[in-house]
Amino acid sequence: CVPCAGQPLDDPDNFCGYTAEDNSYEVIPQTCVVREYFFEIQNTTISPDGIERIALVVNGQMPGPAITANWGDTIVLHVTNSLQNNGSTIHMHGLRQNYTNEFDGVPSITQCPIAPGESMTYTFRATNYGTSWWHSHFSLQAYEGVFGPLIINGPSHIEQTYTDDQTIVLQDWTHVPVNAMFDAAEDVGPLPQNGPRTVDGGLINGMNVWGQDGAAGTTGERWQMSVTAGQTYRLRIINSAIQSTFVFGIDGHELTVIAADFVPIVPYTTNTIIMTNGQRYDVLVTFNQAPGNYWMRSDSQQLCGSMTAWNNVMAIVNYDTVTPAVPTSTAHSYVAGCYDEPMASLVPYVALNAGTQQDQISESVSIGAAGGTPNLYKWTLNGVFFQGAWAEPTLVSLVENNTIPTVSGDLAIQVPDLGEWVYVVIESPFIGVPHPIHLHGHDFYILGQGVGSYDSSVALNLVNPPRRDVAVMPIASDASQGGYLVIAYITDNPGVWLLHCHIGWHVAMGFALQIIENMENIASTVTDSCLMQDTCTAWDSYAVANNDVDTTDSGV
């Protein structure tokens, strides 16, 4: 590897001369730098809010270790599954895995699960830059603790400088494993014993209290951030929740939003931001208020998913010249609900237009809820719920015999050619439940988003629309009706890519489909078919030795 060969500047530390003005979908610095990480997934017991429970963690911590690299670096991740009785995978959320579909980390789609006692090495490049997270894609494992930050440093598009960089991981939390709650979530029956679950509380950077500050019986500890008056900090905020949409803010302070997911945007200022599952925002905060202690708040939106302590997901911002104490600051006002930041605010810094409707391939996806057999709720797309097979991943089948497994029914969309625009219309006008939609392998363009039904009268924005990898299909403010989401992307990345709702319960209940992109060239992108085969062989041996372990949910 020759650093920066044929690129604007022979300086890998400065992205080979590429800047924020360049289109990161078309250029990648050739840094020739390799960042190597070692993960061990383990069973353990933790008490992040003072209440002890069983969890699954990486390297003994939750959130897990941050993966940090520069744009264009190669990341080599060695994963050892030391769990007692679970398979596992690791997925880099939002990373396009450009021509490295084999390392996207999705069971039933790109690989067999890593069996207990086995290891797998993921090798891929940091093809986009910004803030994200990595997580297991095996069942509900991410929400038991198998996740952590993914930080890819890149060129700056803003004039304002900042003195520090802080990652803020938001999550919801339960006092029993979410896997133990899944049967009730999926069962058809009377509420609240069955159906949608209520989580207990939330955590900020893996910490919070259970109870009220200073009250008898309160357990746990608030996360604290120490700041210096007059300085500006970059906060990289990640929503890693299983079901919760958060409204994030810091009492008395403004947020300047500079990136949405992996996309730098034209900065805008607000008091709060709303974040659905899987989304990330980078914001600048200047700490210019009277020195003191201020609440950092992350209110869970009850309309989107129920939480017992919905307004007690908080941390303490402490100006370093005063003694840390419980704040008495006042919260910003906001409009509660299940929606995204306004499309008009999310203007990509690098302006790109979406293809016209004359250039596009269209797919319409109607969301429904159906009782399965026996008496199970399933989320359906065009009347079919997704069902994969851990032991029969689509990519392995394509490489070995050029066929697509039939277990997923009709939920395998084929897009044969590169360079084509694909429009996807996702709607559920009659069910008042929001769905954060996530696409693997691509950023998508958000052309339309709203409450009610989509039809041809809805004006689509094709001129530099928002781009990101998670967007919510919103609902009415009283949940009386659902909504629609219209997204588009250009086919430029051969592979088998998952499109799914990022509410953990929903994807486990079948809210997913796979997109087979440029099928004839997928096999040629695979660099290590032996690794894929060895992982599947080890999984098959484990499954047989443990009473024929079979896929217990949607498989993804």
Side-chain angles (χ1 to χ4, degrees), residues 354-406:
T356 65
Q357 289 177 280
Q358 287 73 32
D359 300 330
Q360 47 107 350
I361 297 172
S362 294
E363 293 289 344
S364 181
V365 179
S366 179
I367 302 167
T373 302
N375 295 321
L376 301 178
Y377 282 119
K378 298 289 186 183
W379 283 100
T380 63
L381 306 181
N382 294 345
V384 181
F385 62 84
F386 185 87
Q387 181 61 67
W390 291 333
E392 193 178 356
T394 304
L395 182 61
V396 175
S397 183
L398 285 173
V399 169
E400 291 184 347
N401 52 42
N402 202 38
T403 61
I404 301 170
T406 58

Side-chain angles (χ1 to χ4, degrees), residues 55-231:
L56 310 177
V57 301
V58 173
N59 294 4
Q61 65 185 75
M62 186 196 76
I67 292 178
T68 303
N70 289 340
W71 183 30
D73 289 353
T74 295
I75 298 170
V76 178
L77 174 62
H78 307 280
V79 179
T80 297
N81 180 2
S82 296
L83 298 174
Q84 296 169 2
N85 53 12
N86 275 276
S88 196
T89 68
I90 297 294
H91 166 66
M92 299 292 137
H93 181 103
L95 203 68
R96 295 199 309 275
Q97 294 290 0
N98 207 37
Y99 281 75
T100 51
N101 185 220
E102 64 193 289
F103 297 119
D104 197 40
V106 186
S108 308
I109 305 293
T110 62
Q111 68 169 92
C112 292
I114 306 168
E118 300 291 332
S119 299
M120 177 176 168
T121 297
Y122 297 81
T123 305
F124 51 90
R125 289 186 64 196
T127 53
N128 31 354
Y129 59 88
T131 300
S132 195
W133 58 308
W134 55 264
H135 61 83
S136 171
H137 226 293
F138 182 89
S139 193
L140 299 175
Q141 202 170 83
Y143 314 107
E144 308 287 17
V146 186
F147 72 96
L150 171 64
I151 308 300
I152 309 298
N153 298 306
S156 176
H157 69 294
I158 55 174
E159 295 182 0
Q160 185 175 7
T161 60
Y162 52 90
T163 56
D164 202 0
D165 190 310
Q166 176 65 58
T167 301
I168 307 290
V169 181
L170 311 177
Q171 69 184 107
D172 46 22
W173 190 243
T174 58
H175 293 154
V176 297
V178 292
N179 190 62
M181 301 168 65
F182 181 66
D183 285 349
E186 193 179 33
D187 282 351
V188 175
L191 297 172
Q193 296 90 343
N194 303 284
R197 300 290 84 201
T198 296
V199 298
D200 292 301
L203 310 175
I204 297 180
N205 284 350
M207 298 175 65
N208 202 8
V209 300
W210 181 248
Q212 298 301 316
D213 297 89
T218 295
T219 61
E221 183 179 351
R222 306 275 191 191
W223 182 73
Q224 295 188 23
M225 178 179 176
S226 179
V227 300
T228 299
Q231 293 189 348

